[in-house]
PDB file of all heavy atoms in Angstrom:
ATOM      1  N   ASP Y 470     -13.965  -7.045  14.008  1.00  0.00           N
ATOM      2  CA  ASP Y 470     -13.631  -8.317  14.641  1.00  0.00           C
ATOM      3  C   ASP Y 470     -14.846  -9.005  15.260  1.00  0.00           C
ATOM      4  O   ASP Y 470     -14.731 -10.096  15.800  1.00  0.00           O
ATOM      5  CB  ASP Y 470     -12.553  -8.110  15.715  1.00  0.00           C
ATOM      6  CG  ASP Y 470     -11.999  -9.426  16.247  1.00  0.00           C
ATOM      7  OD1 ASP Y 470     -11.636 -10.281  15.421  1.00  0.00           O
ATOM      8  OD2 ASP Y 470     -11.944  -9.601  17.476  1.00  0.00           O
ATOM      9  N   HIS Y 471     -16.018  -8.396  15.186  1.00  0.00           N
ATOM     10  CA  HIS Y 471     -17.204  -9.050  15.730  1.00  0.00           C
ATOM     11  C   HIS Y 471     -17.578 -10.253  14.872  1.00  0.00           C
ATOM     12  O   HIS Y 471     -17.664 -10.153  13.650  1.00  0.00           O
ATOM     13  CB  HIS Y 471     -18.384  -8.076  15.781  1.00  0.00           C
ATOM     14  CG  HIS Y 471     -18.279  -7.086  16.893  1.00  0.00           C
ATOM     15  ND1 HIS Y 471     -19.263  -6.154  17.152  1.00  0.00           N
ATOM     16  CD2 HIS Y 471     -17.303  -6.873  17.819  1.00  0.00           C
ATOM     17  CE1 HIS Y 471     -18.906  -5.417  18.194  1.00  0.00           C
ATOM     18  NE2 HIS Y 471     -17.706  -5.828  18.602  1.00  0.00           N
ATOM     19  N   ARG Y 472     -17.807 -11.374  15.518  1.00  0.00           N
ATOM     20  CA  ARG Y 472     -18.216 -12.582  14.791  1.00  0.00           C
ATOM     21  C   ARG Y 472     -19.725 -12.608  14.622  1.00  0.00           C
ATOM     22  O   ARG Y 472     -20.251 -13.319  13.767  1.00  0.00           O
ATOM     23  CB  ARG Y 472     -17.741 -13.830  15.547  1.00  0.00           C
ATOM     24  CG  ARG Y 472     -16.251 -13.785  15.926  1.00  0.00           C
ATOM     25  CD  ARG Y 472     -15.372 -13.454  14.719  1.00  0.00           C
ATOM     26  NE  ARG Y 472     -14.021 -13.160  15.091  1.00  0.00           N
ATOM     27  CZ  ARG Y 472     -13.064 -14.075  15.230  1.00  0.00           C
ATOM     28  NH1 ARG Y 472     -13.317 -15.343  15.052  1.00  0.00           N
ATOM     29  NH2 ARG Y 472     -11.848 -13.693  15.555  1.00  0.00           N
ATOM     30  N   PHE Y 473     -20.445 -11.881  15.460  1.00  0.00           N
ATOM     31  CA  PHE Y 473     -21.901 -11.785  15.368  1.00  0.00           C
ATOM     32  C   PHE Y 473     -22.330 -10.568  16.176  1.00  0.00           C
ATOM     33  O   PHE Y 473     -21.565 -10.033  16.996  1.00  0.00           O
ATOM     34  CB  PHE Y 473     -22.582 -13.039  15.921  1.00  0.00           C
ATOM     35  CG  PHE Y 473     -22.287 -13.284  17.377  1.00  0.00           C
ATOM     36  CD1 PHE Y 473     -23.031 -12.678  18.381  1.00  0.00           C
ATOM     37  CD2 PHE Y 473     -21.221 -14.095  17.751  1.00  0.00           C
ATOM     38  CE1 PHE Y 473     -22.739 -12.881  19.720  1.00  0.00           C
ATOM     39  CE2 PHE Y 473     -20.917 -14.304  19.092  1.00  0.00           C
ATOM     40  CZ  PHE Y 473     -21.674 -13.699  20.080  1.00  0.00           C
ATOM     41  N   GLU Y 474     -23.534 -10.111  15.945  1.00  0.00           N
ATOM     42  CA  GLU Y 474     -24.198  -9.133  16.798  1.00  0.00           C
ATOM     43  C   GLU Y 474     -25.656  -9.548  16.902  1.00  0.00           C
ATOM     44  O   GLU Y 474     -26.303  -9.790  15.886  1.00  0.00           O
ATOM     45  CB  GLU Y 474     -24.053  -7.709  16.248  1.00  0.00           C
ATOM     46  CG  GLU Y 474     -22.639  -7.161  16.404  1.00  0.00           C
ATOM     47  CD  GLU Y 474     -22.467  -5.769  15.805  1.00  0.00           C
ATOM     48  OE1 GLU Y 474     -23.464  -5.212  15.291  1.00  0.00           O
ATOM     49  OE2 GLU Y 474     -21.344  -5.239  15.854  1.00  0.00           O
ATOM     50  N   TRP Y 475     -26.173  -9.666  18.119  1.00  0.00           N
ATOM     51  CA  TRP Y 475     -27.499 -10.211  18.343  1.00  0.00           C
ATOM     52  C   TRP Y 475     -28.530  -9.124  18.615  1.00  0.00           C
ATOM     53  O   TRP Y 475     -28.243  -8.114  19.256  1.00  0.00           O
ATOM     54  CB  TRP Y 475     -27.471 -11.154  19.550  1.00  0.00           C
ATOM     55  CG  TRP Y 475     -26.852 -12.482  19.286  1.00  0.00           C
ATOM     56  CD1 TRP Y 475     -26.805 -13.155  18.107  1.00  0.00           C
ATOM     57  CD2 TRP Y 475     -26.180 -13.311  20.241  1.00  0.00           C
ATOM     58  NE1 TRP Y 475     -26.150 -14.346  18.256  1.00  0.00           N
ATOM     59  CE2 TRP Y 475     -25.760 -14.478  19.554  1.00  0.00           C
ATOM     60  CE3 TRP Y 475     -25.898 -13.197  21.605  1.00  0.00           C
ATOM     61  CZ2 TRP Y 475     -25.082 -15.513  20.187  1.00  0.00           C
ATOM     62  CZ3 TRP Y 475     -25.225 -14.225  22.238  1.00  0.00           C
ATOM     63  CH2 TRP Y 475     -24.827 -15.371  21.539  1.00  0.00           C
ATOM     64  N   THR Y 476     -29.744  -9.380  18.140  1.00  0.00           N
ATOM     65  CA  THR Y 476     -30.877  -8.552  18.533  1.00  0.00           C
ATOM     66  C   THR Y 476     -31.203  -8.850  19.987  1.00  0.00           C
ATOM     67  O   THR Y 476     -30.692  -9.806  20.578  1.00  0.00           O
ATOM     68  CB  THR Y 476     -32.096  -8.853  17.668  1.00  0.00           C
ATOM     69  OG1 THR Y 476     -32.513 -10.208  17.910  1.00  0.00           O
ATOM     70  CG2 THR Y 476     -31.777  -8.681  16.172  1.00  0.00           C
ATOM     71  N   ARG Y 477     -32.094  -8.055  20.566  1.00  0.00           N
ATOM     72  CA  ARG Y 477     -32.487  -8.301  21.953  1.00  0.00           C
ATOM     73  C   ARG Y 477     -33.135  -9.676  22.107  1.00  0.00           C
ATOM     74  O   ARG Y 477     -32.849 -10.391  23.071  1.00  0.00           O
ATOM     75  CB  ARG Y 477     -33.445  -7.196  22.418  1.00  0.00           C
ATOM     76  CG  ARG Y 477     -32.775  -5.844  22.658  1.00  0.00           C
ATOM     77  CD  ARG Y 477     -33.780  -4.723  22.722  1.00  0.00           C
ATOM     78  NE  ARG Y 477     -34.401  -4.511  21.421  1.00  0.00           N
ATOM     79  CZ  ARG Y 477     -35.407  -3.660  21.205  1.00  0.00           C
ATOM     80  NH1 ARG Y 477     -35.903  -2.960  22.216  1.00  0.00           N
ATOM     81  NH2 ARG Y 477     -35.907  -3.501  19.996  1.00  0.00           N
ATOM     82  N   GLN Y 478     -33.973 -10.030  21.152  1.00  0.00           N
ATOM     83  CA  GLN Y 478     -34.638 -11.333  21.243  1.00  0.00           C
ATOM     84  C   GLN Y 478     -33.628 -12.475  21.136  1.00  0.00           C
ATOM     85  O   GLN Y 478     -33.709 -13.462  21.874  1.00  0.00           O
ATOM     86  CB  GLN Y 478     -35.700 -11.467  20.140  1.00  0.00           C
ATOM     87  CG  GLN Y 478     -36.470 -12.781  20.200  1.00  0.00           C
ATOM     88  CD  GLN Y 478     -37.548 -12.863  19.139  1.00  0.00           C
ATOM     89  OE1 GLN Y 478     -37.823 -11.903  18.432  1.00  0.00           O
ATOM     90  NE2 GLN Y 478     -38.177 -14.024  19.015  1.00  0.00           N
ATOM     91  N   GLN Y 479     -32.655 -12.335  20.239  1.00  0.00           N
ATOM     92  CA  GLN Y 479     -31.641 -13.378  20.088  1.00  0.00           C
ATOM     93  C   GLN Y 479     -30.805 -13.510  21.353  1.00  0.00           C
ATOM     94  O   GLN Y 479     -30.499 -14.620  21.802  1.00  0.00           O
ATOM     95  CB  GLN Y 479     -30.742 -13.055  18.889  1.00  0.00           C
ATOM     96  CG  GLN Y 479     -31.406 -13.230  17.538  1.00  0.00           C
ATOM     97  CD  GLN Y 479     -30.532 -12.725  16.410  1.00  0.00           C
ATOM     98  OE1 GLN Y 479     -29.841 -11.711  16.526  1.00  0.00           O
ATOM     99  NE2 GLN Y 479     -30.541 -13.445  15.285  1.00  0.00           N
ATOM    100  N   PHE Y 480     -30.431 -12.384  21.926  1.00  0.00           N
ATOM    101  CA  PHE Y 480     -29.609 -12.418  23.142  1.00  0.00           C
ATOM    102  C   PHE Y 480     -30.373 -13.048  24.302  1.00  0.00           C
ATOM    103  O   PHE Y 480     -29.842 -13.891  25.039  1.00  0.00           O
ATOM    104  CB  PHE Y 480     -29.177 -10.992  23.498  1.00  0.00           C
ATOM    105  CG  PHE Y 480     -28.288 -10.896  24.704  1.00  0.00           C
ATOM    106  CD1 PHE Y 480     -27.129 -11.664  24.803  1.00  0.00           C
ATOM    107  CD2 PHE Y 480     -28.599 -10.026  25.749  1.00  0.00           C
ATOM    108  CE1 PHE Y 480     -26.294 -11.562  25.921  1.00  0.00           C
ATOM    109  CE2 PHE Y 480     -27.772  -9.924  26.862  1.00  0.00           C
ATOM    110  CZ  PHE Y 480     -26.629 -10.696  26.944  1.00  0.00           C
ATOM    111  N   GLU Y 481     -31.613 -12.644  24.480  1.00  0.00           N
ATOM    112  CA  GLU Y 481     -32.411 -13.187  25.577  1.00  0.00           C
ATOM    113  C   GLU Y 481     -32.649 -14.684  25.400  1.00  0.00           C
ATOM    114  O   GLU Y 481     -32.597 -15.447  26.372  1.00  0.00           O
ATOM    115  CB  GLU Y 481     -33.725 -12.424  25.688  1.00  0.00           C
ATOM    116  CG  GLU Y 481     -33.536 -10.981  26.151  1.00  0.00           C
ATOM    117  CD  GLU Y 481     -34.837 -10.205  26.224  1.00  0.00           C
ATOM    118  OE1 GLU Y 481     -35.922 -10.844  26.169  1.00  0.00           O
ATOM    119  OE2 GLU Y 481     -34.786  -8.960  26.352  1.00  0.00           O
ATOM    120  N   SER Y 482     -32.877 -15.108  24.162  1.00  0.00           N
ATOM    121  CA  SER Y 482     -33.087 -16.544  23.899  1.00  0.00           C
ATOM    122  C   SER Y 482     -31.812 -17.328  24.181  1.00  0.00           C
ATOM    123  O   SER Y 482     -31.848 -18.424  24.752  1.00  0.00           O
ATOM    124  CB  SER Y 482     -33.535 -16.759  22.447  1.00  0.00           C
ATOM    125  OG  SER Y 482     -34.777 -16.134  22.203  1.00  0.00           O
ATOM    126  N   TRP Y 483     -30.671 -16.764  23.771  1.00  0.00           N
ATOM    127  CA  TRP Y 483     -29.397 -17.443  24.004  1.00  0.00           C
ATOM    128  C   TRP Y 483     -29.105 -17.556  25.496  1.00  0.00           C
ATOM    129  O   TRP Y 483     -28.699 -18.612  25.983  1.00  0.00           O
ATOM    130  CB  TRP Y 483     -28.273 -16.678  23.303  1.00  0.00           C
ATOM    131  CG  TRP Y 483     -26.920 -17.265  23.513  1.00  0.00           C
ATOM    132  CD1 TRP Y 483     -26.349 -18.317  22.856  1.00  0.00           C
ATOM    133  CD2 TRP Y 483     -25.938 -16.817  24.476  1.00  0.00           C
ATOM    134  NE1 TRP Y 483     -25.083 -18.556  23.340  1.00  0.00           N
ATOM    135  CE2 TRP Y 483     -24.799 -17.660  24.327  1.00  0.00           C
ATOM    136  CE3 TRP Y 483     -25.919 -15.802  25.422  1.00  0.00           C
ATOM    137  CZ2 TRP Y 483     -23.664 -17.494  25.119  1.00  0.00           C
ATOM    138  CZ3 TRP Y 483     -24.782 -15.636  26.199  1.00  0.00           C
ATOM    139  CH2 TRP Y 483     -23.673 -16.481  26.046  1.00  0.00           C
ATOM    140  N   CYS Y 484     -29.322 -16.478  26.229  1.00  0.00           N
ATOM    141  CA  CYS Y 484     -29.075 -16.508  27.676  1.00  0.00           C
ATOM    142  C   CYS Y 484     -29.973 -17.519  28.364  1.00  0.00           C
ATOM    143  O   CYS Y 484     -29.536 -18.250  29.272  1.00  0.00           O
ATOM    144  CB  CYS Y 484     -29.288 -15.120  28.275  1.00  0.00           C
ATOM    145  SG  CYS Y 484     -28.039 -13.904  27.796  1.00  0.00           S
ATOM    146  N   ALA Y 485     -31.237 -17.576  27.937  1.00  0.00           N
ATOM    147  CA  ALA Y 485     -32.157 -18.547  28.525  1.00  0.00           C
ATOM    148  C   ALA Y 485     -31.687 -19.965  28.259  1.00  0.00           C
ATOM    149  O   ALA Y 485     -31.754 -20.841  29.141  1.00  0.00           O
ATOM    150  CB  ALA Y 485     -33.563 -18.327  27.960  1.00  0.00           C
ATOM    151  N   ALA Y 486     -31.186 -20.203  27.056  1.00  0.00           N
ATOM    152  CA  ALA Y 486     -30.690 -21.547  26.710  1.00  0.00           C
ATOM    153  C   ALA Y 486     -29.454 -21.887  27.533  1.00  0.00           C
ATOM    154  O   ALA Y 486     -29.290 -23.033  27.978  1.00  0.00           O
ATOM    155  CB  ALA Y 486     -30.369 -21.608  25.222  1.00  0.00           C
ATOM    156  N   MET Y 487     -28.570 -20.908  27.756  1.00  0.00           N
ATOM    157  CA  MET Y 487     -27.364 -21.161  28.534  1.00  0.00           C
ATOM    158  C   MET Y 487     -27.688 -21.414  30.012  1.00  0.00           C
ATOM    159  O   MET Y 487     -26.980 -22.163  30.697  1.00  0.00           O
ATOM    160  CB  MET Y 487     -26.398 -19.973  28.425  1.00  0.00           C
ATOM    161  CG  MET Y 487     -25.823 -19.724  27.032  1.00  0.00           C
ATOM    162  SD  MET Y 487     -24.878 -21.107  26.346  1.00  0.00           S
ATOM    163  CE  MET Y 487     -26.097 -21.815  25.214  1.00  0.00           C
ATOM    164  N   ALA Y 488     -28.751 -20.790  30.506  1.00  0.00           N
ATOM    165  CA  ALA Y 488     -29.127 -20.950  31.911  1.00  0.00           C
ATOM    166  C   ALA Y 488     -29.960 -22.204  32.175  1.00  0.00           C
ATOM    167  O   ALA Y 488     -30.142 -22.599  33.335  1.00  0.00           O
ATOM    168  CB  ALA Y 488     -29.889 -19.716  32.383  1.00  0.00           C
ATOM    169  N   GLN Y 489     -30.440 -22.802  31.099  1.00  0.00           N
ATOM    170  CA  GLN Y 489     -31.292 -23.987  31.255  1.00  0.00           C
ATOM    171  C   GLN Y 489     -30.524 -25.116  31.948  1.00  0.00           C
ATOM    172  O   GLN Y 489     -29.358 -25.373  31.671  1.00  0.00           O
ATOM    173  CB  GLN Y 489     -31.787 -24.451  29.885  1.00  0.00           C
ATOM    174  CG  GLN Y 489     -32.867 -25.516  29.945  1.00  0.00           C
ATOM    175  CD  GLN Y 489     -33.439 -25.820  28.567  1.00  0.00           C
ATOM    176  OE1 GLN Y 489     -32.882 -25.411  27.544  1.00  0.00           O
ATOM    177  NE2 GLN Y 489     -34.553 -26.527  28.532  1.00  0.00           N
ATOM    178  N   ASN Y 490     -31.188 -25.755  32.891  1.00  0.00           N
ATOM    179  CA  ASN Y 490     -30.598 -26.860  33.670  1.00  0.00           C
ATOM    180  C   ASN Y 490     -29.414 -26.410  34.524  1.00  0.00           C
ATOM    181  O   ASN Y 490     -28.525 -27.207  34.845  1.00  0.00           O
ATOM    182  CB  ASN Y 490     -30.166 -28.013  32.742  1.00  0.00           C
ATOM    183  CG  ASN Y 490     -31.339 -28.585  31.955  1.00  0.00           C
ATOM    184  OD1 ASN Y 490     -32.452 -28.712  32.472  1.00  0.00           O
ATOM    185  ND2 ASN Y 490     -31.089 -28.930  30.691  1.00  0.00           N
ATOM    186  N   THR Y 491     -29.374 -25.142  34.866  1.00  0.00           N
ATOM    187  CA  THR Y 491     -28.359 -24.628  35.792  1.00  0.00           C
ATOM    188  C   THR Y 491     -29.087 -23.894  36.915  1.00  0.00           C
ATOM    189  O   THR Y 491     -30.248 -23.482  36.752  1.00  0.00           O
ATOM    190  CB  THR Y 491     -27.392 -23.638  35.104  1.00  0.00           C
ATOM    191  OG1 THR Y 491     -28.088 -22.407  34.840  1.00  0.00           O
ATOM    192  CG2 THR Y 491     -26.834 -24.220  33.810  1.00  0.00           C
TER     193      THR Y 491
END
Side-chain angles (χ1 to χ4, degrees):
D470 189 49
H471 285 183
R472 310 309 169 88
F473 61 85
E474 288 177 2
W475 284 331
T476 65
R477 287 164 292 174
Q478 182 178 353
Q479 288 173 322
F480 182 53
E481 292 178 14
S482 297
W483 178 81
C484 291
M487 295 300 101
Q489 190 173 12
N490 300 322
T491 72

